[in-house]
Amino acid sequence: MSKLWGGRFERETDRAVEAFTASIGVDARLWEVDIRASIAHARMLGRVGVLTSEEAQSIIAGLQAIAQDIAEGRITFNPNAEDVHTEIERLLTERIGAVAGKLHTARSRNDQVATDTRLYLREGIDALCEEILRLQEWLVNTAEQHLHTILPGFTHLQHAQPVSLAHHLMAYFWMLQRDRERLRDCRRRVNHLPLGSAALAGTSFPLDREMVAQELGFEGVCENSLDAVSDRDFVVEFLACAALVMTHLSRLAEELILWSTPEFGFVELDDSVTTGSSIMPQKKNPDVAELIRGRVGRVVGDLTGALVMLKALPLSYNRDLQEDKGFLFDALDTVRDSVALMHLMLSRAQWRTERMKQAVSGDFSNATDLADYLVRKGVPFRQAHEVVGRVVQYCLKGGRTLESLQVDELRQFSDLFDADAVQAIQPETVLQVRRTRGGTSPDAVQEQIAHARQLIGGDNH
Ligand code: ARG
């Protein structure tokens, strides 16, 4: 195949080299942003008089027609093409002839690919944020129905203190809220235009970079052409955000896996989002949750890969940079699918609230409240802790639960215990009294939910 850069070469490129250096298999998906950016570039070249307006018009019309043909499946890319940029230029030449060769005036694939990648990522971030937002909406709506659903709260995976299911679900809301904030912040730095940097040093043609930036929706132009064609920090930054989203999802996935075991029994995952076993007829496996948990490894790998690819690269463009898109696209796809599937799985889950309640009864997760009771009567907390520790030991030895003790039994440990001590350690009470802002009482969680609703109602990213 003839090369766009074939002029100075006497011998054909070795096939193995062609295959090794080609990126069309990965970057084909950039076609739409590539054409959009080329149209903006051509329009600007026409405006500043580098191209005649007829030339610009013919290029723009040709590109628009190609875009439509690709979108409607009438064009398949040559799998042996070098990359998406050369392939689209070839298609344009096929369609409009030699004038197509004027499109690449004052442009290099170096600033072209950086521009395409930023456009594609910007839209990927927006789509991902939408997906996260939908999951957050589900969390808030479901939380609101479970303000009074009590389950054990855990530390060290040991029963610690009772919390509400609402409170537990909302913890994930806030993780995802920070994820979205990080993505939005990352988007600001993605959204600058490299085009006009040309190969590395800028160009002698009188370009209007601001015009191109405006047409493509960029907030500004990259200030340094060497930096613009050779940094991929915006890719790394996105991958770091993506790795955190996956890390958060993996924690939720792990809980669904645990909670759907008979030992916990807190949740039943729907048949439509689980899979069976080829040998054990009774099985229903949480494979979706496991794959979300497992795919964190991929995205963290993408982040690591991009960082190592970038490390110690001399300025400016180097072919190493072509590898960025493999990492980027893998992460974009993986995170988006994972968020969507998490949402699907959760939206069909059955919460076993009776099991949650049973798990709290007799689990001593109200011991702190018995100590707090003594503290309110003036006992130093350390001493109260000691007293209640002995009460717990008494219960363990006698096979009793804390909330079943009578006042006279409690009084053997401290005469400050009165009848209301028994009331103070009922699970409902224990939940109700944690009214501090951010606490698990229904009132406090209701407030948390109201704040959350403001945040997701007030912005679209
Ligand atoms: N396929 C290349 C990439 O993704 C395009 C830029 C090639 N530039 C070059 N000077 N060979 O990075």
Side-chain angles (χ1 to χ4, degrees):
M1 221 174 48
S2 77
K3 300 273 185 310
L4 292 176
W5 38 262
R8 66 92 67 213
F9 289 80
E10 283 181 0
R11 278 188 302 283
E12 290 282 300
T13 317
D14 193 283
R15 275 190 192 290
V17 171
E18 273 181 354
F20 191 71
T21 55
S23 58
I24 185 91
V26 174
D27 61 27
R29 64 164 86 186
L30 291 176
W31 69 266
E32 197 275 331
V33 288
D34 190 75
I35 290 177
R36 216 192 305 164
S38 286
I39 289 174
H41 182 64
R43 199 187 319 280
M44 180 274 293
L45 291 179
R47 181 75 57 87
V48 299
V50 171
L51 298 185
T52 67
S53 55
E54 293 74 39
E55 288 168 339
Q57 253 330 301
S58 137
I59 290 173
I60 291 168
L63 287 169
Q64 283 166 341
I66 290 170
Q68 197 161 353
D69 282 356
I70 299 173
E72 289 165 13
R74 282 189 295 274
I75 289 180
T76 39
F77 292 140
N78 178 350
N80 301 318
E82 186 177 332
D83 58 27
V84 69
H85 324 290
T86 50
E87 178 66 354
I88 286 170
E89 192 173 325
R90 183 187 67 77
L91 290 165
L92 186 65
T93 310
E94 221 172 65
R95 193 167 299 234
I96 66 170
V99 67
K102 296 204 170 192
L103 168 62
H104 215 53
T105 311
R107 188 176 78 168
S108 154
R109 274 184 297 159
N110 298 349
D111 57 346
Q112 188 180 356
V113 72
T115 301
D116 292 359
T117 307
R118 285 171 184 261
L119 278 175
Y120 189 87
L121 175 54
R122 183 181 78 194
E123 281 155 34
I125 289 175
D126 290 347
L128 176 58
C129 285
E130 273 302 310
E131 210 68 70
I132 295 176
L133 188 62
R134 254 172 262 146
L135 176 53
Q136 286 183 292
E137 280 163 358
W138 181 88
L139 286 166
V140 175
N141 291 335
T142 310
E144 201 141 52
Q145 296 158 22
H146 290 285
L147 292 165
H148 297 274
T149 303
I150 302 178
L151 77 160
F154 298 88
T155 59
H156 315 271
L157 207 52
Q158 302 287 329
H159 291 211
Q161 291 171 352
V163 295
S164 73
L165 180 57
H167 197 48
H168 193 105
L169 292 174
M170 285 303 290
Y172 287 100
F173 172 93
W174 295 107
M175 292 178 225
L176 294 171
Q177 180 64 18
R178 290 189 298 278
D179 285 334
R180 248 170 3 98
E181 284 170 15
R182 264 184 290 271
L183 285 164
R184 190 167 37 187
D185 190 51
C186 166
R187 186 193 195 276
R188 289 195 301 119
R189 279 176 292 278
V190 170
N191 206 20
H192 283 78
L193 175 76
L195 216 58
S197 302
L200 75 164
T203 169
S204 56
F205 293 99
L207 304 189
D208 184 347
R209 297 187 66 202
E210 282 71 20
M211 177 184 163
V212 178
Q214 206 179 9
E215 172 162 343
L216 296 174
F218 284 109
E219 260 168 61
V221 302
C222 297
E223 297 280 356
N224 181 303
S225 59
L226 295 167
D227 178 41
V229 296
S230 71
D231 209 342
R232 294 293 184 269
D233 55 354
F234 66 93
V235 172
V236 170
E237 205 178 330
F238 168 75
L239 292 172
C241 297
L244 256 177
V245 177
M246 288 303 288
T247 304
H248 286 151
L249 291 185
S250 78
R251 302 184 70 179
L252 183 48
E254 169 69 5
E255 295 198 320
L256 290 172
I257 293 163
L258 281 173
W259 287 14
S260 61
T261 59
E263 286 75 11
F264 275 83
F266 291 176
V267 71
E268 166 108 27
L269 298 176
D270 193 69
D271 283 5
S272 61
V273 295
T274 48
T275 54
S277 158
S278 58
I279 174 170
M280 298 164 283
Q282 84 285 7
K283 295 271 299 217
K284 177 152 114 173
N285 294 327
D287 292 31
V288 170
E290 291 169 287
L291 283 170
I292 292 172
R293 185 178 62 181
R295 284 183 187 159
V296 184
R298 276 172 68 152
V299 178
V300 172
D302 292 328
L303 169 62
T304 310
L307 279 168
V308 177
M309 177 272 287
L310 208 52
K311 178 186 175 293
L313 278 190
L315 293 184
S316 59
Y317 180 86
N318 299 270
R319 194 64 176 266
D320 314 44
L321 293 169
Q322 178 170 290
E323 296 298 303
D324 65 346
K325 285 172 287 299
F327 302 130
L328 180 60
F329 297 161
D330 182 65
L332 272 171
D333 294 347
T334 305
V335 184
R336 229 182 117 177
D337 289 354
S338 300
V339 176
L341 268 289
M342 178 58 86
H343 184 190
L344 184 74
M345 186 167 46
L346 285 172
S347 65
R348 297 183 186 169
Q350 300 281 334
W351 303 101
R352 299 285 178 235
T353 57
E354 274 308 308
R355 279 297 301 258
M356 293 179 184
K357 200 171 170 185
Q358 274 166 25
V360 170
S361 105
D363 73 345
F364 298 102
S365 62
N366 46 1
T368 316
D369 293 79
L370 198 58
D372 287 350
Y373 177 91
L374 291 177
V375 169
R376 288 202 177 83
K377 302 235 163 159
V379 182
F381 182 75
R382 280 289 149 244
Q383 207 179 315
H385 186 288
E386 172 72 27
V387 171
V388 175
R390 284 200 299 273
V391 179
V392 169
Q393 199 178 52
Y394 166 83
C395 288
L396 287 172
K397 282 187 177 146
R400 303 283 303 279
T401 73
L402 213 50
E403 54 272 26
S404 72
L405 293 180
Q406 305 297 310
V407 206
D408 1 327
E409 290 176 284
L410 283 171
R411 278 180 181 275
Q412 295 167 22
F413 298 90
S414 164
D415 51 17
L416 292 170
F417 283 123
D418 285 318
D420 56 349
V422 179
Q423 182 50 42
I425 58 173
Q426 300 309 310
E428 291 75 15
T429 317
V430 166
L431 197 78
Q432 291 284 350
V433 295
R434 288 190 163 65
R435 287 200 189 84
T436 35
R437 186 161 169 198
T440 198
S441 82
D443 290 348
V445 176
Q446 187 68 264
E447 226 177 283
Q448 187 189 145
I449 288 174
H451 185 202
R453 282 204 191 283
Q454 268 171 16
L455 287 173
I456 58 177
D459 68 14
N460 293 314
H461 287 297

